[in-house]
């Protein structure tokens, strides 16, 4: 499968399930070795090679938008708590630079997320590259997909209902509407009891 | 990791209708999923949702007096369109030598038809095209791909036609 696939991952399990799904179903017959490199704040240079390829893109939200995008009542509450937190911190004696602290913890979280993604690709023997971007996840993912000229963009979905989707906002929704490339939305699996390998602890 | 047995292929449903966008979606899917592998891992189902005659006539207005006479004509017209769509889709498939294809025409609202079909076939992936409407058109005309992306219980792939640059 000579497809260039971009998978958007974050800390949620939904996105890793999406990556797993993509690796299992799109790259069945791959035999290429894994190759990875990282690039910060810009898209990485691609390696022109036969065989498919996975681009793992992770977007770090900026400090002000950390958590959820600022829409709706939910976002407003978050924004208020962040503002209040900042005011409290600024008035404290300790001159800790909050920005740096948050950035460092973000870096660590991103590194963990991406290394997990790379591991999964390596297990399936699929070439992978990682891209770290900073900013609004929705726009950055769509832009990245366009710039790297991927064949397919894969995103997970938290499986939110219609109403919560209005308020909390949805990256997969935005990407579905605005991405210029075909997009695959992987839903979290419904708990089926037939297909999963049952741990037969029944008759002991 | 759930292991899928080798003889049980995963089902991919591709929604087809009369538009260029959906033929493009079908072609794109075939090119990327079916022609590059010697033995494809997906079983292909082409699904066309035929709008019911009453809903089509209903657009003319609720108090359309001649509705009863027009219905059979509209119905046969829709049937012809459905047949043409299915033929077209089959041709696209056979051009790429993809022969293991099931085609189905179901009557009803496309949104429900597609989601029900996902349940029925236990599809692992649903492919839809997209008209590429903006936000306002989408609100007025409604979007099947949008509805399916939210409500289908399986992975949904939305294939967009790249805007032709002149």
């Amino acid at each position: 499968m000579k497809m260039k696939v971009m998978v958007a991952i974050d800390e949620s399990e939904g996105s890793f399930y999406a990556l797993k799904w993509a690796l299992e179903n799109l790259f069945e017959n791959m035999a290429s070795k894994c190759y990875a490199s990282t690039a910060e704040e810009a898209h990485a240079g691609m390696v022109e090679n036969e065989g498919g390829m996975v681009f793992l893109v992770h977007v770090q939200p900026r400090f002000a938008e950390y958590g959820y995008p600022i829409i709706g009542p939910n976002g407003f509450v978050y924004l208020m708590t962040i503002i209040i937190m900042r005011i409290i911190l600024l008035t404290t004696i300790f001159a800790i630079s909050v920005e740096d602290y948050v950035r460092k913890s973000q870096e660590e979280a991103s590194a963990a997320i991406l290394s997990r993604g790379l591991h999964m690709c390596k297990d399936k023997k699929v070439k992978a590259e990682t891209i770290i971007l900073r900013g609004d996840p929705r726009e950055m993912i769509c832009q990245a997909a366009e710039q790297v000229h991927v064949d397919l963009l894969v995103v997970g979905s938290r499986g939110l209902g219609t109403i919560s989707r209005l308020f909390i906002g949805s990256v997969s929704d935005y990407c579905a509407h605005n991405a210029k490339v075909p997009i695959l939305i992987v839903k979290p699996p419904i708990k089926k009891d037939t297909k999963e390998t049952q741990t037969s602890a029944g008759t002991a | 990791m759930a292991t899928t047995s080798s003889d049980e292929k995963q089902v991919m449903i591709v929604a087809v209708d009369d538009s260029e966008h959906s033929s493009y979606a079908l072609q794109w899917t075939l090119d990327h999923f079916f022609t590059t592998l010697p033995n494809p891992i997906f079983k292909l189902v082409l699904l066309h949702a035929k709008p019911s005659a009453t809903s089509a006539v209903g657009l003319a207005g609720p108090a359309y007096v001649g509705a009863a006479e027009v219905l059979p004509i509209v119905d046969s017209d829709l049937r012809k369109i459905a047949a043409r769509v299915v033929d077209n889709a089959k041709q696209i498939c056979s051009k790429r030598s993809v022969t293991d294809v099931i085609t189905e025409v179901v009557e009803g609202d496309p949104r429900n038809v597609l989601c029900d079909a996902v349940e029925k076939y236990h599809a692992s992936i649903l492919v839809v095209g997209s008209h590429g409407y903006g936000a306002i058109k989408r609100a007025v005309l409604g979007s099947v791909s949008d509805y399916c992306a939210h409500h289908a219980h399986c992975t949904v792939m939305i294939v967009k036609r790249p805007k032709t640059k002149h």
Side-chain angles (χ1 to χ4, degrees), chain A residues 1-3 17 20-21 24-29 124 151-152 157 160 162 165 173 175-188 190 192 195-197, chain B residues 1-3 8 10 28 32-34 36-39 41-42 119 122 124-125 130 133 138 146 148-163:
Chain A
M1 191 74 60
K2 297 178 178 71
M3 275 207 292
Y17 179 73
K20 188 170 85 139
W21 195 98
E24 278 174 16
N25 294 300
L26 303 176
F27 294 95
E28 275 286 290
N29 303 328
K124 286 281 178 181
D151 294 313
L152 184 64
S157 168
L160 294 173
T162 322
R165 200 183 282 269
D173 220 26
C175 292
H177 293 181
N178 297 52
K180 304 276 191 320
V181 293
I183 179 168
L184 190 86
I185 304 174
V186 182
K187 303 278 178 76
I190 317 167
K192 291 190 204 133
K195 290 217 172 149
E196 293 284 23
T197 50
Chain B
M1 258 191 324
T3 50
E8 192 187 299
Q10 302 195 50
W28 191 94
H32 285 83
F33 283 84
F34 287 87
T36 47
L37 287 179
N39 53 331
I41 49 172
F42 287 106
E119 302 280 334
H122 299 293
S124 47
I125 174 169
S130 167
Y133 289 149
R138 200 182 279 268
D146 217 25
C148 292
H150 293 183
H151 291 90
H153 290 150
C154 68
T155 307
V156 176
M157 181 154 78
I158 303 176
V159 181
K160 304 207 189 155
R161 204 166 157 195
K163 294 199 170 57

Side-chain angles (χ1 to χ4, degrees), chain B:
Chain B
M1 258 191 324
T3 50
T4 51
S5 53
S6 55
D7 51 332
E8 192 187 299
K9 278 192 186 172
Q10 302 195 50
V11 179
M12 174 190 279
I13 299 183
V14 180
V16 288
D17 69 0
D18 215 9
S19 69
E20 276 289 315
H21 299 271
S22 89
S23 340
Y24 176 80
L26 178 60
Q27 285 166 9
W28 191 94
T29 309
L30 290 172
D31 287 338
H32 285 83
F33 283 84
F34 287 87
T35 50
T36 47
L37 287 179
N39 53 331
I41 49 172
F42 287 106
K43 200 160 133 85
L44 186 61
V45 174
L46 301 176
L47 183 60
H48 174 63
K50 169 175 164 294
S52 63
T54 44
S55 70
V57 174
L59 288 170
Y64 184 41
V65 176
E69 297 159 355
V70 176
L71 276 178
I73 303 174
V74 173
D75 198 45
S76 73
D77 212 24
L78 287 171
R79 263 188 235 281
K80 280 194 212 138
I81 294 177
R84 193 178 65 211
V85 168
V86 169
D87 278 339
N88 197 19
K90 277 201 197 144
Q91 266 184 15
I92 295 176
C93 289
S94 58
K95 262 193 214 155
R96 287 167 175 73
S97 28
V98 175
T99 45
D100 183 18
V101 173
I102 299 178
T103 56
E104 200 172 318
V105 177
V106 180
E107 182 162 325
D109 189 332
R111 295 177 269 218
N112 300 327
V113 162
L114 288 175
C115 294
D116 290 343
V118 165
E119 302 280 334
K120 176 175 147 193
Y121 286 97
H122 299 293
S124 47
I125 174 169
L126 170 68
V127 182
V128 293
S130 167
H131 285 275
Y133 289 149
I136 302 191
K137 259 190 176 171
R138 200 182 279 268
V140 172
L141 293 171
S143 170
V144 173
S145 58
D146 217 25
Y147 184 90
C148 292
H150 293 183
H151 291 90
H153 290 150
C154 68
T155 307
V156 176
M157 181 154 78
I158 303 176
V159 181
K160 304 207 189 155
R161 204 166 157 195
K163 294 199 170 57
T164 49
K165 300 194 178 86
H166 295 287

